[in-house]
């Protein structure tokens, strides 16, 4: 009886409601609060939930909701394109201006649809899947545009000890880190839902894209650092025993500027990454790969000179670089297992032997520079 009275009353209201909605502009969303008000009342009433008026209300608003999501998807896609075209890569909160705007809009749209509390399960599930797919597509576009900007920046980076990681590059790392975090919220369906393998594969594709982009970006950055060390080693090669150039240079007494500038390059870039990259895990990955690559390069350089005795300048420079590199990366949290790798052991043993040879022939020719007691040595 109560249900009949309720439906009769709502039937009288329905005529006025329909007339009002018909005169609303096509792209006006002012009527959504009305849906929320009525739906929140009807869905909690056991007599009126999914009754005649409730179903009519849903039928009225289905096309409005679909159109609103269509327009928002188009608008967000355009804002991504415009945003990355004009992106300055200044740090904004957890990422850049464009990424912050994107993730806010996606979250706001999903919260809006969630707050509708759509009563019909199938359409509610459709809406959620639609929004999760949209978020995945937008996330993919964001990651690809960020990676593209990173590659362009790296191509322009120099290979001298003047290289300092641009703050924009740190922001790009942070954008991908934030994307990975946001992905778990914006792109994953409610765990209560059953979804097919196709959806799982689609979502995992975004995770793989982000992880692969991270690997490539870290590798690219470490390659730039390696190129700087290669340049230093190339300058040391001029002093190789038996070369014409080394005989000329033997009359000069070069200082330790080459070692000092390289050590400053390492430390300042370590500080930039530590201060500007938000995630400790990825900082550790960069430092691990950077240190490992550096020791391998020095090891290869020394292996190529197994039959040569190192010039005094080569030995002094390498001892200082290797000792400071070992200590600085240890202070940055690189673990002993990585620090004392085979390359380092080979380098350490070779430089120690060279040092002993010089000590016999030239006394204090190394002027106090030694592979020993590196922990006690001042900066």
């Amino acid at each position: 009886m109560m249900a009949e009275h309720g439906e009769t009353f709502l039937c009288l209201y329905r005529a006025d409601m329909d007339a009002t909605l018909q005169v609303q502009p096509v792209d006006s969303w002012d009527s959504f609060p009305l849906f929320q008000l009525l739906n929140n009342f009807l869905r909690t009433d056991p007599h009126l939930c999914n009754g005649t008026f409730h179903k009519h209300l849903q039928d009225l608003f289905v096309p409005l909701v679909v159109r609103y999501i269509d327009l928002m998807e188009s608008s967000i896609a355009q804002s991504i394109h415009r945003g990355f075209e004009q992106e300055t890569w200044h740090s904004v909160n957890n990422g850049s201006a464009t990424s912050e705007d994107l993730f806010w809009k996606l979250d706001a749209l999903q919260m809006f649809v969630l707050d509708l509390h759509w009563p019909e399960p199938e359409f509610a599930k459709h809406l959620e899947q639609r929004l999760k797919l949209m978020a995945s597509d937008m996330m993919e576009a964001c990651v690809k545009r960020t990676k593209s900007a990173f590659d362009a920046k790296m191509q322009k980076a120099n290979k001298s000890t003047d290289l300092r990681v641009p703050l924009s590059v740190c922001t790009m790392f942070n954008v991908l880190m934030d994307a990975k975090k946001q992905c778990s919220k914006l792109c994953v369906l409610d765990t209560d839902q059953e979804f097919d393998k196709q959806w799982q594969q689609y979502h995992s594709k975004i995770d793989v894209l982000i992880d692969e982009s991270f690997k490539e970006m870290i590798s690219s950055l470490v390659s730039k650092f390696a190129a700087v060390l290669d340049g230093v080693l190339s300058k040391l090669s001029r002093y190789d025993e038996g070369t014409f150039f080394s005989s000329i240079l033997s009359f000069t007494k070069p200082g330790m500027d080459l070692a000092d500038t390289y050590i400053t390059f390492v430390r300042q870039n370590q500080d930039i990454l530590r201060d500007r990259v938000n995630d400790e895990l990825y900082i550790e990955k960069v430092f691990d790969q950077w240190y490992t690559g550096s020791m391998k390069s020095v090891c290869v350089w020394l292996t190529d000179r197994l039959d040569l005795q190192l010039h005094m300048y080569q030995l002094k420079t390498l001892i200082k670089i290797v000792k400071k590199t070992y200590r600085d990366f240890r202070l940055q949290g690189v673990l002993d297992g990585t620090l004392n790798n085979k390359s380092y052991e080979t380098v350490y043993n070779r430089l120690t032997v060279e040092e002993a040879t010089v000590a016999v022939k030239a006394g204090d020719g190394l002027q106090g520079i030694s592979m020993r007691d590196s922990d006690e040595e001042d900066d």
Side-chain angles (χ1 to χ4, degrees):
M1 181 67 71
M2 290 298 296
E4 292 180 8
H5 282 298
E7 289 289 356
T8 300
F9 171 77
L10 291 171
C11 184
L12 297 174
Y13 174 75
R14 168 177 169 174
D16 291 334
M17 181 184 71
D18 290 356
T20 302
L21 291 176
Q22 285 177 0
V23 298
Q24 290 284 316
V26 176
D27 292 335
S28 172
W29 318 116
D30 295 337
S31 57
F32 281 128
L34 174 63
F35 174 84
Q36 289 176 302
L37 177 68
L38 293 173
N39 182 57
N40 285 340
F41 169 72
L42 294 168
R43 68 187 181 88
T44 57
D45 188 309
H47 303 295
L48 299 176
C49 182
N50 286 322
T52 303
F53 180 81
H54 199 189
K55 289 181 178 178
H56 175 70
L57 182 69
Q58 295 173 53
D59 292 340
L60 279 178
F61 276 87
V62 163
L64 284 176
V65 172
V66 171
R67 177 159 176 76
Y68 180 73
I69 293 176
D70 287 344
L71 291 177
M72 286 303 299
E73 181 173 18
S74 176
S75 174
I76 294 173
Q78 290 176 20
S79 70
I80 291 177
H81 178 73
R82 289 194 302 267
F84 280 113
E85 286 292 325
Q86 303 168 7
E87 183 60 77
T88 60
W89 298 107
H90 292 155
S91 179
V92 178
N93 296 328
N94 295 322
S96 69
T98 304
S99 67
E100 286 290 309
D101 180 65
L102 169 63
F103 300 148
W104 181 86
K105 286 178 177 177
L106 290 174
D107 184 58
L109 181 58
Q110 292 192 13
M111 289 306 299
F112 164 76
V113 173
L114 186 64
D115 288 342
L116 291 179
H117 296 292
W118 201 269
E120 202 278 307
E122 283 301 315
F123 188 66
K125 180 179 179 180
H126 164 77
L127 290 178
E128 184 187 4
Q129 290 181 345
R130 167 82 188 278
L131 293 178
K132 299 300 183 182
L133 283 170
M134 180 200 305
S136 296
D137 289 339
M138 302 299 180
M139 200 75 71
E140 180 179 353
C142 174
V143 171
K144 287 182 175 179
R145 292 295 292 267
T146 301
K147 176 63 167 51
S148 177
F150 176 88
D151 291 341
K153 198 73 176 179
M154 283 291 97
Q155 286 180 355
K156 297 177 182 178
N158 63 53
K159 298 180 181 179
S160 74
T161 50
D162 294 330
L163 171 65
R164 297 296 180 271
V165 178
L167 299 185
S168 58
V169 166
C170 297
T171 300
M172 293 169 193
F173 272 108
N174 291 335
V175 167
L176 260 67
M177 291 168 195
D178 197 26
K180 190 171 182 66
K181 293 175 183 176
Q182 295 287 342
C183 191
S184 62
K185 177 175 70 172
L186 297 173
C187 304
V188 178
L189 281 171
D190 187 337
T191 53
D192 291 337
Q193 290 191 19
E194 294 183 0
F195 48 92
D196 57 24
K197 291 183 180 179
Q198 184 178 0
W199 172 268
Q200 289 177 309
Q201 291 171 354
Y202 190 87
H203 174 64
S204 65
K205 185 181 74 170
I206 306 303
D207 280 339
V208 170
L209 174 65
I210 295 175
D211 290 341
E212 289 299 321
S213 297
F214 264 128
K215 289 179 183 177
E216 291 174 12
M217 289 168 66
I218 290 174
S219 177
S220 176
L221 182 61
V222 170
S223 294
K224 283 293 179 183
F225 293 153
V228 175
L229 179 57
D230 287 343
V232 171
L233 296 175
S234 178
K235 291 178 181 178
L236 289 180
S237 298
R238 301 171 185 172
Y239 292 83
D240 282 349
E241 183 182 22
T243 63
F244 174 75
F245 200 49
S246 69
S247 62
I248 298 175
L249 293 173
S250 64
F251 296 104
T252 66
K253 293 184 177 180
M256 297 303 292
D257 289 350
L258 185 60
D260 290 339
T261 54
Y262 178 77
I263 293 164
T264 299
F265 150 79
V266 171
R267 290 176 176 175
Q268 291 187 358
N269 280 296
Q270 285 178 333
D271 290 343
I272 291 171
L273 292 170
R274 177 68 67 186
D275 292 341
R276 296 288 181 164
V277 177
N278 294 336
D279 196 299
E280 178 73 19
L281 176 63
Y282 290 99
I283 296 174
E284 290 175 358
K285 287 183 178 180
V286 172
F287 287 169
D288 283 357
Q289 291 185 31
W290 185 2
Y291 174 83
T292 301
S294 297
M295 288 302 158
K296 186 174 182 180
S297 294
V298 175
C299 183
V300 169
W301 190 89
L302 287 171
T303 301
D304 290 342
R305 291 158 179 78
L306 276 177
D307 299 329
L308 301 177
Q309 182 179 347
L310 296 183
H311 186 279
M312 185 76 72
Y313 177 63
Q314 291 176 322
L315 182 57
K316 289 166 65 177
T317 300
L318 285 177
I319 287 177
K320 191 165 188 178
I321 286 177
V322 170
K323 286 171 59 180
K324 297 294 187 182
T325 297
Y326 182 95
R327 191 193 67 172
D328 290 345
F329 278 93
R330 185 177 63 184
L331 290 174
Q332 291 292 346
V334 175
L335 300 177
D336 288 347
T338 302
L339 290 170
N340 300 306
N341 58 41
K342 290 184 178 180
S343 293
Y344 174 75
E345 289 179 356
T346 302
V347 169
Y348 181 89
N349 292 335
R350 171 69 184 278
L351 294 180
T352 301
V353 170
E354 292 281 349
E355 179 188 337
T357 302
V358 169
V360 171
K361 292 183 177 180
D364 193 30
L366 291 174
Q367 299 174 326
I369 295 177
S370 170
M371 286 301 292
R372 298 186 304 275
D373 302 325
S374 60
D375 294 343
E376 298 174 8
E377 187 177 283
D378 295 333
D379 288 341

